[in-house]
Amino acid sequence: EPLVAPRGWWAFREPSTYPPVVFDLAFDLAAAVPAQALVEAISANAGVWLESAQVFDEFSGSQMEPGRKSVAVQLWFRAPDHTLTNEEVAPKRNLIISRVEDLLDARLRGGA
């Protein structure tokens, strides 16, 4: 059934010729929280320049508190009309960290 289900309309978005700002964030969160919940919290608070948020590492073990895990996400920000600066992206990064910590009872790993 999923293969023959109707698909929604998609729209082509012209790729930007400007370089992305790429950085990683790793969060310590409850082991029961799905990585997708982290990606959704990031996406909901990142704004229109977020191009991609991809989980690239999930770790739990003796270095983590019992019942906790670390999930790392690589974020790509890109504007369609100019090269983003660190000063433009920093407020978004700070908002993402703050909201993820509040929504998912998470802690940023490795400091700010």
Side-chain angles (χ1 to χ4, degrees):
E1 286 185 31
L3 294 176
V4 294
R7 296 283 199 186
W9 288 99
W10 57 273
F12 177 77
R13 183 172 58 154
E14 188 173 330
S16 174
T17 58
Y18 296 94
V21 174
V22 180
F23 59 91
D24 302 338
L25 294 175
F27 291 93
D28 172 335
L29 60 154
V33 175
Q36 183 61 32
L38 175 60
V39 171
E40 289 170 2
I42 289 169
S43 298
N45 292 284
V48 297
W49 292 330
L50 180 67
E51 185 174 275
S52 173
Q54 298 290 320
V55 173
F56 68 89
D57 186 44
E58 186 170 322
F59 173 80
S60 60
S62 61
Q63 296 173 340
M64 301 297 296
E65 293 178 26
R68 306 287 293 179
K69 67 181 176 182
S70 173
V71 178
V73 180
Q74 184 172 76
L75 304 172
W76 285 50
F77 282 79
R78 188 184 326 241
D81 57 352
H82 70 284
T83 299
L84 292 172
T85 65
N86 287 336
E87 291 76 21
E88 290 175 300
V89 176
K92 295 296 184 187
R93 180 181 182 277
N94 293 337
L95 177 64
I96 289 168
I97 293 166
S98 173
R99 295 298 293 147
V100 165
E101 288 176 341
D102 291 344
L103 292 170
L104 300 178
D105 188 29
R107 294 184 298 266
L108 181 67
R109 295 195 71 206

